[in-house]
Amino acid sequence: MRQTVRADARNAKDASMSTEACELIPGLPSHSPGRAEQWSIAAMFRRDGVMQLPEFLRSNTLRWTVLVTSIFASFTAALLGFVYLKTKHDLTLRSDRAIASEMGILVALPPGQRLDAINQGLRYDPGRVRIVGLFGARGDRIAGDMRGQPANIEIDGTAQNVVVDRTDGFGGGRQAVRVIARTLPDGNVLLVGRDADEIDEIARVVGGALALGLFPAVSLCIAVGVALSTRARKRITQVNERVQRIVAGNLRERLPLGSSDDPFSQLAMIVNGMLDEMETLIESLAGVGRDIAHDLRTPLTRARLMLERGRRNATTLEQLQAVADKTTDALDQSLSIVTAILRLAEIEINQRSSGFGHVALADIIREVGDMYEPIAEDKGISLVVQSPGELNVHGDRDLLIEAVANLVDNAVKFTPAGGRVEIGLVRSHDEIIVRVKDSGAGISEHERDAVLRRFYRSDRIRHTPGLGLGLNLVAAIVKLHGFRFTVHPGAGCIAEIACPYAPTPV
């Protein structure tokens, strides 16, 4: 019962708060708390809508544009203010010089000629720019177009701004002028000046022209900033869309390249090259599982069949040993495949370079030749080693021996009896070429790229023992060193490793 009373009290309190909110809102009836709640929710959505500015207005590029434009506008305004003040100052100095020059001329004239010069000058001033006044020692007007001598005028001082009562044939009125006052030898006071509004008018014209130039300059800055921001955001949007497709699994997608050679296009080119490499590696990894399953299935199946037959048919210890020996050979072949794959992974993934140094290729050629000479003799193959001079490269000696040994092993393996295998060094410009040439069947044009894939074995050599990893291992070692590996098609295989020449260290 108490809980029910408390709940009713809370509801009444909420209703009263809603009613108070309704009373604060013009046009909303105070007796509709439901409408007050709806209004508050709508107001909250409108407020969020105001806060959620368009993504374009929240971009850093536009913010920097506004900041730079503000700095530019402030600098331009300060520059225009300086030009305005400088122009007004120069015009004032020019007017003061003109007043002083005219004052000097009138002071130098005799009294009679001075009056004639004053009257004649006033007649030839229809623009009412000049103003002259000649007053007696007591301030009485003698000549000129000034009604009276200004009360706050400083006699025998510099030019000053005063307001005078002008009287002439065009009428009278008060006018702001810039005047110089001098006491003449006869005790009279001569005032010579020019209209100050002329200077202010010219300064206003100059300032207005400069101010009008500020608006298009700032507008141009904003327009350029908005254009650059829009262009950059468009490219970023395209990149984001394509990256999302790449993340979704479309490995053939590439970043857009611009028409100009700007840094963004260079970055996109580098990323596209990285994506090409990743696509190649992923496709290679996708095929490795199939290749391993295909190549391991045969020796493992053979081992299983031999074990099964030996268990069923073998009756003596010698027969069981023979079955175990054949099974061991099949398992050794499987282990060789796994070992070769691990070796490739070590070279391709670890990218080791700690063992790099100057390597004498002639020593490698001779060492590999000595290693395979007995094997070549057993097959009746002539093995020729040509290593002229001491030619050095920068690399890993053990890996290079392994690469050359794989090439020689293939050449000896696929060259028939009575054939010839040549191992040599050739100096070509700034490169050293390790060339292994045999007189075997060679490689056809359409197989030149295929032989570099893992576990690839041509139909012609299926009966020859091997794993199909030798040339792939050579390609991985050459790529690690940054060398160039070429297999020439045709009768008799020619494989070349082109290495940049490294001078012999002193």
Side-chain angles (χ1 to χ4, degrees):
M1 182 68 179
R2 292 180 179 177
Q3 294 178 355
T4 306
V5 173
R6 291 176 182 174
D8 294 339
R10 282 197 300 268
N11 294 335
K13 183 178 181 180
D14 295 340
S16 63
M17 292 176 63
S18 300
T19 304
E20 292 174 359
C22 294
E23 293 175 353
L24 296 175
I25 304 170
L28 189 66
S30 60
H31 60 276
S32 55
R35 293 186 180 180
E37 184 178 358
Q38 293 176 1
W39 180 89
S40 61
I41 295 174
M44 189 163 49
F45 276 115
R46 286 197 296 271
R47 185 167 59 251
D48 292 342
V50 173
M51 294 175 63
Q52 292 292 334
L53 296 175
E55 190 175 1
F56 171 74
L57 297 179
R58 291 185 285 109
S59 64
N60 289 331
T61 305
L62 185 61
R63 293 176 182 174
W64 278 105
T65 301
V66 173
L67 177 61
V68 173
T69 303
S70 301
I71 295 174
F72 174 77
S74 302
F75 173 77
T76 305
L79 179 62
L80 295 181
F82 171 77
V83 172
Y84 172 80
L85 295 177
K86 180 66 175 174
T87 302
K88 187 174 182 180
H89 177 70
D90 291 345
L91 290 174
T92 301
L93 290 179
R94 182 178 178 182
S95 177
D96 291 348
R97 287 194 296 269
I99 296 172
S101 176
E102 186 176 356
M103 173 66 77
I105 293 174
L106 292 177
V107 169
L109 293 175
Q113 295 182 4
R114 184 183 299 126
L115 291 175
D116 294 338
I118 291 173
N119 294 327
Q120 186 176 3
L122 293 176
R123 285 197 299 270
Y124 289 100
D125 184 26
R128 305 177 71 191
V129 175
R130 298 169 60 251
I131 188 168
V132 181
L134 181 61
F135 299 91
R138 296 181 181 180
D140 52 322
R141 177 174 175 271
I142 299 174
D145 51 0
M146 290 185 187
R147 189 181 301 276
Q149 182 177 339
N152 56 348
I153 190 70
E154 181 180 351
I155 308 299
D156 297 330
T158 58
Q160 52 196 302
N161 292 321
V162 294
V163 178
V164 299
D165 289 331
R166 184 165 190 156
T167 175
D168 52 23
F170 300 97
R174 297 179 66 82
Q175 184 178 10
V177 295
R178 191 165 179 81
V179 174
I180 296 178
R182 290 286 186 272
T183 302
L184 300 177
D186 55 4
N188 295 334
V189 178
L190 177 64
L191 282 77
V192 177
R194 296 180 69 87
D195 186 6
D197 292 337
E198 178 187 24
I199 299 175
D200 293 337
E201 185 65 26
I202 296 175
R204 282 195 296 270
V205 171
V206 174
L210 295 177
L212 288 176
L214 176 63
F215 178 74
V218 174
S219 301
L220 179 61
C221 287
I222 295 177
V224 171
V226 170
L228 293 177
S229 178
T230 304
R231 179 174 177 269
R233 187 146 204 87
K234 181 179 179 182
R235 297 189 68 176
I236 292 175
T237 302
Q238 293 177 351
V239 170
N240 290 338
E241 292 175 353
R242 300 200 180 190
V243 169
Q244 289 175 0
R245 289 197 288 266
I246 293 172
V247 172
N250 186 5
L251 298 179
R252 298 185 180 276
E253 192 67 64
R254 294 296 180 266
L255 300 186
L257 297 177
S259 57
S260 59
D261 191 18
D262 57 349
F264 194 89
S265 297
Q266 295 177 359
L267 177 61
M269 190 179 301
I270 294 174
V271 173
N272 287 341
M274 180 182 66
L275 291 174
D276 292 338
E277 187 70 18
M278 290 175 59
E279 182 183 5
T280 302
L281 291 176
I282 292 175
E283 290 179 353
S284 176
L285 289 174
V288 166
R290 297 190 300 269
D291 295 337
I292 292 176
H294 180 271
D295 281 71
L296 288 181
R297 182 176 58 184
T298 301
L300 291 178
T301 303
R302 188 183 304 117
R304 183 183 182 282
L305 290 175
M306 285 187 292
L307 288 174
E308 185 178 354
R309 290 174 183 175
R311 182 178 62 84
R312 187 175 60 247
N313 300 329
T315 57
T316 63
L317 180 60
E318 289 77 9
Q319 291 177 345
L320 287 175
Q321 289 177 345
V323 170
D325 291 340
K326 292 180 180 179
T327 304
T328 301
D329 292 339
L331 293 177
D332 287 341
Q333 184 179 1
S334 301
L335 290 175
S336 299
I337 294 175
V338 174
T339 303
I341 293 174
L342 292 177
R343 180 63 173 156
L344 280 170
E346 178 187 1
I347 294 173
E348 293 179 346
I349 297 177
N350 292 340
Q351 296 290 305
R352 67 178 196 181
S353 59
S354 58
F356 276 38
H358 281 79
V359 179
L361 288 179
D363 294 342
I364 292 179
I365 295 299
R366 288 191 290 266
E367 186 174 339
V368 174
D370 294 339
M371 186 188 310
Y372 280 90
E373 186 175 3
I375 302 175
E377 289 181 356
D378 291 343
K379 288 191 63 175
I381 297 174
S382 175
L383 182 61
V384 180
V385 179
Q386 299 174 350
S387 56
E390 295 295 333
L391 301 177
N392 297 321
V393 296
H394 183 72
D396 188 304
R397 189 176 190 277
D398 295 336
L399 291 179
L400 292 177
I401 288 178
E402 188 172 355
V404 177
N406 271 280
L407 293 179
V408 176
D409 183 78
N410 276 351
V412 173
K413 185 186 298 183
F414 300 117
T415 299
R420 178 184 177 90
V421 175
E422 299 179 3
I423 315 172
L425 292 177
V426 179
R427 178 72 181 271
S428 174
H429 302 294
D430 57 346
E431 286 185 334
I432 304 171
I433 299 177
V434 179
R435 179 177 295 166
V436 178
K437 181 180 179 181
D438 62 64
S439 59
I443 296 175
S444 61
E445 178 67 30
H446 71 277
E447 286 184 318
R448 183 170 60 173
D449 296 329
V451 295
L452 301 180
R453 297 201 303 262
R454 293 183 182 181
F455 302 110
Y456 178 81
R457 291 175 61 79
S458 176
D459 295 336
R460 296 178 300 172
I461 58 174
R462 282 289 177 184
H463 61 282
T464 305
L467 303 177
L469 291 172
L471 292 181
N472 187 261
L473 181 62
V474 174
I477 295 173
V478 170
K479 183 178 180 180
L480 174 64
H481 284 75
F483 298 163
R484 180 167 48 85
F485 181 46
T486 307
V487 178
H488 297 279
C493 181
I494 301 176
E496 294 180 345
I497 300 177
C499 320
Y501 175 72
T504 303
V506 181

